[in-house]
Amino acid sequence: NAGVTQTPKFQVLKTGQSMTLQCAQDMNHNSMYWYRQDPGMGLRLIYYSASEGTTDKGEVPNGYNVSRLNKREFSLRLESAAPSQTSVYFCASSEDRFATNEKLFFGSGTQLSVL
Amino acid sequence: GDSVTQMEGPVTLSEEAFLTINCTYTATGYPSLFWYVQYPGEGLQLLLKATKADDKGSNKGFEATYRKETTSFHLEKGSVQVSDSAVYFCALRESGANSKLTFGKGITLSVRP
């Protein structure tokens, strides 16, 4: 019962470095999402993918890029990390084809620190 | 725009105490309302939901009633357990094809034996 798997769990970057957060789901879900969680801010949607081959911006997309590699995998890339991107990142998936299903399944998160 | 406001935390209770976590919302239409829970070291998971006014969502002994007149969706449990220690998020989703979930800030609940 893997569900949604994110790697890595922890990462420390220096300002300007790049990295890719990986996410994979084994539930045959159509829609996938990336959120960030900041203290006192709740979860904010960065990007989402309603189906394989499509991606769309969420609430806070600046400084990020995504790739829906196939139906299972959805990666988030920081091209030039900034301290403002220090956060906990969550990947999620849902069964529906339009990224509107409220029943999201979340990974356990990646804690990213940018120094 | 849409927003969800949760009471300030953290909340610490003794086992078997009564729990209320307040949540109010602002929305332009007729949203669906949700509670998500995040146990330590895990991702969020859906706890319960309600899709229209006066609906009551329930799961694992938790309940919340969609109150349109007070724009609230407070979470309650009659007798909390240590295993209920977690972060609780209230969320809403407006009706409409492109609407996404809007989350509150979350509140940490700690239950001591």
Side-chain angles (χ1 to χ4, degrees), chain B residues 20-60:
Chain B
T20 299
I21 299 178
N22 290 344
C23 171
T24 57
Y25 68 90
T26 302
T28 54
Y30 302 93
S32 297
L33 301 173
F34 309 85
W35 278 100
Y36 272 78
V37 59
Q38 183 182 21
Y39 297 106
E42 300 182 11
L44 284 74
Q45 56 185 275
L46 180 64
L47 179 60
L48 54 83
K49 67 183 244 187
T51 57
K52 61 183 188 296
D54 299 326
D55 269 3
K56 178 184 286 187
S58 61
N59 187 23
K60 299 182 180 180

mmCIF file of all heavy atoms in Angstrom, chain B residues 20-60:
data_model
loop_
_atom_site.group_PDB
_atom_site.id
_atom_site.type_symbol
_atom_site.label_atom_id
_atom_site.label_comp_id
_atom_site.label_asym_id
_atom_site.label_seq_id
_atom_site.Cartn_x
_atom_site.Cartn_y
_atom_site.Cartn_z
ATOM 1 N N THR B 20 -13.722 20.667 20.428
ATOM 2 C CA THR B 20 -14.308 21.520 19.391
ATOM 3 C C THR B 20 -13.182 22.303 18.733
ATOM 4 O O THR B 20 -12.398 22.955 19.428
ATOM 5 C CB THR B 20 -15.327 22.526 19.956
ATOM 6 O OG1 THR B 20 -16.397 21.833 20.576
ATOM 7 C CG2 THR B 20 -15.887 23.393 18.839
ATOM 8 N N ILE B 21 -13.109 22.229 17.418
ATOM 9 C CA ILE B 21 -12.166 23.051 16.657
ATOM 10 C C ILE B 21 -13.001 23.903 15.701
ATOM 11 O O ILE B 21 -13.743 23.378 14.875
ATOM 12 C CB ILE B 21 -11.177 22.196 15.855
ATOM 13 C CG1 ILE B 21 -10.349 21.310 16.780
ATOM 14 C CG2 ILE B 21 -10.250 23.102 15.043
ATOM 15 C CD1 ILE B 21 -9.381 20.393 16.050
ATOM 16 N N ASN B 22 -12.872 25.216 15.852
ATOM 17 C CA ASN B 22 -13.704 26.129 15.070
ATOM 18 C C ASN B 22 -13.155 26.363 13.668
ATOM 19 O O ASN B 22 -11.939 26.460 13.462
ATOM 20 C CB ASN B 22 -13.826 27.470 15.784
ATOM 21 C CG ASN B 22 -14.659 27.372 17.041
ATOM 22 O OD1 ASN B 22 -15.385 26.400 17.240
ATOM 23 N ND2 ASN B 22 -14.556 28.361 17.904
ATOM 24 N N CYS B 23 -14.086 26.482 12.730
ATOM 25 C CA CYS B 23 -13.743 26.807 11.354
ATOM 26 C C CYS B 23 -14.859 27.663 10.777
ATOM 27 O O CYS B 23 -16.032 27.286 10.858
ATOM 28 C CB CYS B 23 -13.575 25.543 10.525
ATOM 29 S SG CYS B 23 -13.386 25.846 8.740
ATOM 30 N N THR B 24 -14.515 28.800 10.224
ATOM 31 C CA THR B 24 -15.474 29.619 9.497
ATOM 32 C C THR B 24 -14.934 29.875 8.102
ATOM 33 O O THR B 24 -13.730 29.774 7.862
ATOM 34 C CB THR B 24 -15.745 30.965 10.205
ATOM 35 O OG1 THR B 24 -14.505 31.659 10.359
ATOM 36 C CG2 THR B 24 -16.382 30.751 11.561
ATOM 37 N N TYR B 25 -15.829 30.207 7.202
ATOM 38 C CA TYR B 25 -15.403 30.354 5.816
ATOM 39 C C TYR B 25 -16.029 31.578 5.171
ATOM 40 O O TYR B 25 -17.045 32.099 5.635
ATOM 41 C CB TYR B 25 -15.751 29.099 5.008
ATOM 42 C CG TYR B 25 -17.235 28.884 4.819
ATOM 43 C CD1 TYR B 25 -17.910 29.424 3.725
ATOM 44 C CD2 TYR B 25 -17.960 28.155 5.754
ATOM 45 C CE1 TYR B 25 -19.272 29.242 3.566
ATOM 46 C CE2 TYR B 25 -19.319 27.966 5.594
ATOM 47 C CZ TYR B 25 -19.969 28.508 4.501
ATOM 48 O OH TYR B 25 -21.314 28.329 4.356
ATOM 49 N N THR B 26 -15.407 32.003 4.097
ATOM 50 C CA THR B 26 -15.932 33.053 3.229
ATOM 51 C C THR B 26 -15.930 32.511 1.814
ATOM 52 O O THR B 26 -14.892 32.026 1.338
ATOM 53 C CB THR B 26 -15.057 34.320 3.286
ATOM 54 O OG1 THR B 26 -14.986 34.786 4.629
ATOM 55 C CG2 THR B 26 -15.635 35.414 2.399
ATOM 56 N N ALA B 27 -17.088 32.557 1.171
ATOM 57 C CA ALA B 27 -17.190 32.042 -0.195
ATOM 58 C C ALA B 27 -18.280 32.798 -0.924
ATOM 59 O O ALA B 27 -19.238 33.276 -0.314
ATOM 60 C CB ALA B 27 -17.484 30.542 -0.184
ATOM 61 N N THR B 28 -18.140 32.876 -2.232
ATOM 62 C CA THR B 28 -19.123 33.613 -3.017
ATOM 63 C C THR B 28 -20.300 32.745 -3.413
ATOM 64 O O THR B 28 -21.390 33.241 -3.652
ATOM 65 C CB THR B 28 -18.476 34.178 -4.289
ATOM 66 O OG1 THR B 28 -17.839 33.098 -4.994
ATOM 67 C CG2 THR B 28 -17.441 35.226 -3.954
ATOM 68 N N GLY B 29 -20.093 31.457 -3.501
ATOM 69 C CA GLY B 29 -21.150 30.574 -3.962
ATOM 70 C C GLY B 29 -21.585 29.608 -2.882
ATOM 71 O O GLY B 29 -21.784 29.992 -1.730
ATOM 72 N N TYR B 30 -21.706 28.349 -3.257
ATOM 73 C CA TYR B 30 -22.173 27.307 -2.348
ATOM 74 C C TYR B 30 -21.103 26.214 -2.280
ATOM 75 O O TYR B 30 -21.178 25.217 -2.992
ATOM 76 C CB TYR B 30 -23.499 26.745 -2.848
ATOM 77 C CG TYR B 30 -24.560 27.807 -2.967
ATOM 78 C CD1 TYR B 30 -24.776 28.473 -4.173
ATOM 79 C CD2 TYR B 30 -25.305 28.192 -1.860
ATOM 80 C CE1 TYR B 30 -25.725 29.472 -4.268
ATOM 81 C CE2 TYR B 30 -26.262 29.191 -1.954
ATOM 82 C CZ TYR B 30 -26.466 29.827 -3.159
ATOM 83 O OH TYR B 30 -27.407 30.816 -3.258
ATOM 84 N N PRO B 31 -20.132 26.424 -1.419
ATOM 85 C CA PRO B 31 -18.986 25.502 -1.413
ATOM 86 C C PRO B 31 -19.287 24.178 -0.733
ATOM 87 O O PRO B 31 -20.250 24.068 0.031
ATOM 88 C CB PRO B 31 -17.943 26.266 -0.612
ATOM 89 C CG PRO B 31 -18.753 27.092 0.347
ATOM 90 C CD PRO B 31 -19.976 27.504 -0.430
ATOM 91 N N SER B 32 -18.470 23.197 -1.022
ATOM 92 C CA SER B 32 -18.379 21.992 -0.213
ATOM 93 C C SER B 32 -17.309 22.240 0.855
ATOM 94 O O SER B 32 -16.350 22.970 0.619
ATOM 95 C CB SER B 32 -17.988 20.795 -1.070
ATOM 96 O OG SER B 32 -18.976 20.532 -2.041
ATOM 97 N N LEU B 33 -17.488 21.609 2.014
ATOM 98 C CA LEU B 33 -16.589 21.842 3.143
ATOM 99 C C LEU B 33 -15.968 20.531 3.608
ATOM 100 O O LEU B 33 -16.622 19.472 3.541
ATOM 101 C CB LEU B 33 -17.343 22.502 4.298
ATOM 102 C CG LEU B 33 -18.004 23.839 3.969
ATOM 103 C CD1 LEU B 33 -18.861 24.301 5.147
ATOM 104 C CD2 LEU B 33 -16.965 24.887 3.630
ATOM 105 N N PHE B 34 -14.730 20.623 4.102
ATOM 106 C CA PHE B 34 -13.964 19.421 4.403
ATOM 107 C C PHE B 34 -13.137 19.630 5.675
ATOM 108 O O PHE B 34 -12.741 20.756 6.007
ATOM 109 C CB PHE B 34 -12.978 19.103 3.265
ATOM 110 C CG PHE B 34 -13.610 19.074 1.917
ATOM 111 C CD1 PHE B 34 -13.777 20.234 1.194
ATOM 112 C CD2 PHE B 34 -14.058 17.880 1.385
ATOM 113 C CE1 PHE B 34 -14.389 20.231 -0.052
ATOM 114 C CE2 PHE B 34 -14.661 17.855 0.142
ATOM 115 C CZ PHE B 34 -14.826 19.033 -0.573
ATOM 116 N N TRP B 35 -12.850 18.517 6.326
ATOM 117 C CA TRP B 35 -11.792 18.456 7.325
ATOM 118 C C TRP B 35 -10.789 17.397 6.878
ATOM 119 O O TRP B 35 -11.170 16.258 6.583
ATOM 120 C CB TRP B 35 -12.339 18.093 8.704
ATOM 121 C CG TRP B 35 -12.903 19.277 9.425
ATOM 122 C CD1 TRP B 35 -14.216 19.628 9.544
ATOM 123 C CD2 TRP B 35 -12.169 20.273 10.136
ATOM 124 N NE1 TRP B 35 -14.336 20.779 10.276
ATOM 125 C CE2 TRP B 35 -13.095 21.208 10.655
ATOM 126 C CE3 TRP B 35 -10.806 20.483 10.402
ATOM 127 C CZ2 TRP B 35 -12.721 22.313 11.419
ATOM 128 C CZ3 TRP B 35 -10.428 21.578 11.149
ATOM 129 C CH2 TRP B 35 -11.373 22.473 11.662
ATOM 130 N N TYR B 36 -9.521 17.837 6.844
ATOM 131 C CA TYR B 36 -8.413 16.928 6.585
ATOM 132 C C TYR B 36 -7.593 16.812 7.869
ATOM 133 O O TYR B 36 -7.504 17.761 8.654
ATOM 134 C CB TYR B 36 -7.509 17.467 5.471
ATOM 135 C CG TYR B 36 -7.915 17.065 4.083
ATOM 136 C CD1 TYR B 36 -8.967 17.706 3.428
ATOM 137 C CD2 TYR B 36 -7.256 16.039 3.416
ATOM 138 C CE1 TYR B 36 -9.334 17.317 2.144
ATOM 139 C CE2 TYR B 36 -7.616 15.651 2.134
ATOM 140 C CZ TYR B 36 -8.665 16.304 1.515
ATOM 141 O OH TYR B 36 -9.025 15.921 0.242
ATOM 142 N N VAL B 37 -6.938 15.650 8.051
ATOM 143 C CA VAL B 37 -6.117 15.422 9.234
ATOM 144 C C VAL B 37 -4.729 14.961 8.790
ATOM 145 O O VAL B 37 -4.597 14.214 7.807
ATOM 146 C CB VAL B 37 -6.765 14.397 10.183
ATOM 147 C CG1 VAL B 37 -6.988 13.053 9.501
ATOM 148 C CG2 VAL B 37 -5.922 14.206 11.444
ATOM 149 N N GLN B 38 -3.719 15.455 9.495
ATOM 150 C CA GLN B 38 -2.327 15.092 9.207
ATOM 151 C C GLN B 38 -1.710 14.510 10.468
ATOM 152 O O GLN B 38 -1.409 15.241 11.419
ATOM 153 C CB GLN B 38 -1.549 16.320 8.742
ATOM 154 C CG GLN B 38 -0.118 16.040 8.355
ATOM 155 C CD GLN B 38 0.621 17.297 7.944
ATOM 156 O OE1 GLN B 38 0.239 18.416 8.275
ATOM 157 N NE2 GLN B 38 1.703 17.131 7.192
ATOM 158 N N TYR B 39 -1.527 13.193 10.484
ATOM 159 C CA TYR B 39 -0.877 12.548 11.617
ATOM 160 C C TYR B 39 0.634 12.737 11.517
ATOM 161 O O TYR B 39 1.165 12.944 10.426
ATOM 162 C CB TYR B 39 -1.248 11.067 11.672
ATOM 163 C CG TYR B 39 -2.714 10.846 11.897
ATOM 164 C CD1 TYR B 39 -3.544 10.423 10.869
ATOM 165 C CD2 TYR B 39 -3.286 11.082 13.147
ATOM 166 C CE1 TYR B 39 -4.899 10.228 11.073
ATOM 167 C CE2 TYR B 39 -4.639 10.901 13.354
ATOM 168 C CZ TYR B 39 -5.445 10.479 12.309
ATOM 169 O OH TYR B 39 -6.784 10.312 12.512
ATOM 170 N N PRO B 40 1.335 12.678 12.636
ATOM 171 C CA PRO B 40 2.787 12.940 12.636
ATOM 172 C C PRO B 40 3.525 12.108 11.597
ATOM 173 O O PRO B 40 3.358 10.888 11.515
ATOM 174 C CB PRO B 40 3.195 12.561 14.062
ATOM 175 C CG PRO B 40 1.975 12.797 14.886
ATOM 176 C CD PRO B 40 0.823 12.409 14.009
ATOM 177 N N GLY B 41 4.318 12.788 10.779
ATOM 178 C CA GLY B 41 5.142 12.105 9.780
ATOM 179 C C GLY B 41 4.401 11.635 8.556
ATOM 180 O O GLY B 41 4.989 10.947 7.705
ATOM 181 N N GLU B 42 3.135 11.985 8.429
ATOM 182 C CA GLU B 42 2.341 11.528 7.299
ATOM 183 C C GLU B 42 1.792 12.696 6.501
ATOM 184 O O GLU B 42 1.843 13.842 6.925
ATOM 185 C CB GLU B 42 1.184 10.653 7.788
ATOM 186 C CG GLU B 42 1.630 9.416 8.539
ATOM 187 C CD GLU B 42 0.444 8.559 8.958
ATOM 188 O OE1 GLU B 42 -0.682 8.811 8.497
ATOM 189 O OE2 GLU B 42 0.677 7.623 9.751
ATOM 190 N N GLY B 43 1.242 12.388 5.328
ATOM 191 C CA GLY B 43 0.547 13.394 4.551
ATOM 192 C C GLY B 43 -0.878 13.566 5.045
ATOM 193 O O GLY B 43 -1.361 12.824 5.889
ATOM 194 N N LEU B 44 -1.551 14.572 4.506
ATOM 195 C CA LEU B 44 -2.935 14.822 4.905
ATOM 196 C C LEU B 44 -3.842 13.726 4.368
ATOM 197 O O LEU B 44 -3.570 13.127 3.323
ATOM 198 C CB LEU B 44 -3.429 16.155 4.326
ATOM 199 C CG LEU B 44 -2.953 17.435 4.990
ATOM 200 C CD1 LEU B 44 -1.508 17.723 4.654
ATOM 201 C CD2 LEU B 44 -3.850 18.593 4.553
ATOM 202 N N GLN B 45 -4.930 13.499 5.065
ATOM 203 C CA GLN B 45 -5.945 12.576 4.577
ATOM 204 C C GLN B 45 -7.321 13.133 4.914
ATOM 205 O O GLN B 45 -7.497 13.808 5.930
ATOM 206 C CB GLN B 45 -5.762 11.172 5.168
ATOM 207 C CG GLN B 45 -5.753 11.091 6.671
ATOM 208 C CD GLN B 45 -5.444 9.698 7.156
ATOM 209 O OE1 GLN B 45 -6.331 8.859 7.263
ATOM 210 N NE2 GLN B 45 -4.185 9.434 7.456
ATOM 211 N N LEU B 46 -8.261 12.853 4.041
ATOM 212 C CA LEU B 46 -9.613 13.359 4.228
ATOM 213 C C LEU B 46 -10.248 12.704 5.444
ATOM 214 O O LEU B 46 -10.272 11.479 5.565
ATOM 215 C CB LEU B 46 -10.452 13.068 2.983
ATOM 216 C CG LEU B 46 -11.900 13.539 3.020
ATOM 217 C CD1 LEU B 46 -11.966 15.063 3.119
ATOM 218 C CD2 LEU B 46 -12.644 13.066 1.774
ATOM 219 N N LEU B 47 -10.794 13.533 6.349
ATOM 220 C CA LEU B 47 -11.446 13.022 7.549
ATOM 221 C C LEU B 47 -12.964 12.964 7.336
ATOM 222 O O LEU B 47 -13.595 11.952 7.594
ATOM 223 C CB LEU B 47 -11.118 13.913 8.744
ATOM 224 C CG LEU B 47 -11.743 13.544 10.084
ATOM 225 C CD1 LEU B 47 -11.318 12.151 10.520
ATOM 226 C CD2 LEU B 47 -11.381 14.571 11.153
ATOM 227 N N LEU B 48 -13.547 14.069 6.869
ATOM 228 C CA LEU B 48 -14.974 14.098 6.602
ATOM 229 C C LEU B 48 -15.302 15.274 5.697
ATOM 230 O O LEU B 48 -14.482 16.175 5.524
ATOM 231 C CB LEU B 48 -15.790 14.162 7.904
ATOM 232 C CG LEU B 48 -15.473 15.266 8.899
ATOM 233 C CD1 LEU B 48 -16.177 16.559 8.537
ATOM 234 C CD2 LEU B 48 -15.869 14.848 10.309
ATOM 235 N N LYS B 49 -16.514 15.265 5.151
ATOM 236 C CA LYS B 49 -16.916 16.341 4.264
ATOM 237 C C LYS B 49 -18.426 16.552 4.344
ATOM 238 O O LYS B 49 -19.165 15.675 4.809
ATOM 239 C CB LYS B 49 -16.519 16.041 2.835
ATOM 240 C CG LYS B 49 -17.260 14.883 2.208
ATOM 241 C CD LYS B 49 -16.727 14.626 0.788
ATOM 242 C CE LYS B 49 -17.755 14.858 -0.256
ATOM 243 N NZ LYS B 49 -17.309 14.464 -1.607
ATOM 244 N N ALA B 50 -18.870 17.713 3.888
ATOM 245 C CA ALA B 50 -20.293 18.025 3.755
ATOM 246 C C ALA B 50 -20.458 18.883 2.515
ATOM 247 O O ALA B 50 -19.658 19.789 2.275
ATOM 248 C CB ALA B 50 -20.817 18.757 4.987
ATOM 249 N N THR B 51 -21.469 18.596 1.744
ATOM 250 C CA THR B 51 -21.587 19.267 0.441
ATOM 251 C C THR B 51 -22.688 20.307 0.367
ATOM 252 O O THR B 51 -22.731 21.087 -0.592
ATOM 253 C CB THR B 51 -21.811 18.229 -0.673
ATOM 254 O OG1 THR B 51 -22.981 17.473 -0.343
ATOM 255 C CG2 THR B 51 -20.626 17.303 -0.786
ATOM 256 N N LYS B 52 -23.585 20.360 1.350
ATOM 257 C CA LYS B 52 -24.616 21.398 1.310
ATOM 258 C C LYS B 52 -25.042 21.745 2.726
ATOM 259 O O LYS B 52 -24.766 21.015 3.686
ATOM 260 C CB LYS B 52 -25.808 20.943 0.489
ATOM 261 C CG LYS B 52 -26.515 19.726 0.994
ATOM 262 C CD LYS B 52 -27.650 19.336 0.047
ATOM 263 C CE LYS B 52 -28.514 18.230 0.604
ATOM 264 N NZ LYS B 52 -27.756 16.977 0.779
ATOM 265 N N ALA B 53 -25.745 22.850 2.819
ATOM 266 C CA ALA B 53 -26.158 23.381 4.117
ATOM 267 C C ALA B 53 -26.930 22.341 4.920
ATOM 268 O O ALA B 53 -27.751 21.600 4.372
ATOM 269 C CB ALA B 53 -26.997 24.631 3.905
ATOM 270 N N ASP B 54 -26.621 22.286 6.211
ATOM 271 C CA ASP B 54 -27.237 21.402 7.198
ATOM 272 C C ASP B 54 -26.762 19.958 7.092
ATOM 273 O O ASP B 54 -27.155 19.125 7.918
ATOM 274 C CB ASP B 54 -28.766 21.449 7.137
ATOM 275 C CG ASP B 54 -29.296 22.838 7.424
ATOM 276 O OD1 ASP B 54 -28.694 23.553 8.245
ATOM 277 O OD2 ASP B 54 -30.298 23.221 6.790
ATOM 278 N N ASP B 55 -25.932 19.649 6.118
ATOM 279 C CA ASP B 55 -25.324 18.315 6.059
ATOM 280 C C ASP B 55 -24.394 18.127 7.244
ATOM 281 O O ASP B 55 -23.719 19.060 7.676
ATOM 282 C CB ASP B 55 -24.499 18.145 4.776
ATOM 283 C CG ASP B 55 -25.311 17.580 3.643
ATOM 284 O OD1 ASP B 55 -26.527 17.359 3.821
ATOM 285 O OD2 ASP B 55 -24.720 17.351 2.571
ATOM 286 N N LYS B 56 -24.331 16.899 7.742
ATOM 287 C CA LYS B 56 -23.370 16.565 8.792
ATOM 288 C C LYS B 56 -22.409 15.511 8.246
ATOM 289 O O LYS B 56 -22.849 14.460 7.789
ATOM 290 C CB LYS B 56 -24.077 16.038 10.035
ATOM 291 C CG LYS B 56 -23.118 15.618 11.153
ATOM 292 C CD LYS B 56 -23.847 15.002 12.337
ATOM 293 C CE LYS B 56 -24.559 16.039 13.149
ATOM 294 N NZ LYS B 56 -25.138 15.482 14.404
ATOM 295 N N GLY B 57 -21.121 15.827 8.293
ATOM 296 C CA GLY B 57 -20.115 14.832 7.953
ATOM 297 C C GLY B 57 -19.651 14.154 9.223
ATOM 298 O O GLY B 57 -19.583 14.777 10.285
ATOM 299 N N SER B 58 -19.323 12.866 9.127
ATOM 300 C CA SER B 58 -18.857 12.155 10.309
ATOM 301 C C SER B 58 -17.903 11.043 9.912
ATOM 302 O O SER B 58 -18.038 10.433 8.842
ATOM 303 C CB SER B 58 -20.027 11.581 11.108
ATOM 304 O OG SER B 58 -20.753 10.660 10.328
ATOM 305 N N ASN B 59 -16.938 10.769 10.802
ATOM 306 C CA ASN B 59 -15.969 9.712 10.569
ATOM 307 C C ASN B 59 -15.122 9.565 11.825
ATOM 308 O O ASN B 59 -14.721 10.568 12.440
ATOM 309 C CB ASN B 59 -15.069 10.059 9.371
ATOM 310 C CG ASN B 59 -14.148 8.928 8.966
ATOM 311 O OD1 ASN B 59 -14.409 7.767 9.240
ATOM 312 N ND2 ASN B 59 -13.069 9.258 8.292
ATOM 313 N N LYS B 60 -14.834 8.362 12.213
ATOM 314 C CA LYS B 60 -13.948 8.053 13.342
ATOM 315 C C LYS B 60 -14.372 8.756 14.620
ATOM 316 O O LYS B 60 -13.527 9.116 15.445
ATOM 317 C CB LYS B 60 -12.505 8.434 13.009
ATOM 318 C CG LYS B 60 -11.919 7.698 11.816
ATOM 319 C CD LYS B 60 -10.474 8.095 11.595
ATOM 320 C CE LYS B 60 -9.893 7.360 10.410
ATOM 321 N NZ LYS B 60 -8.479 7.721 10.166
#
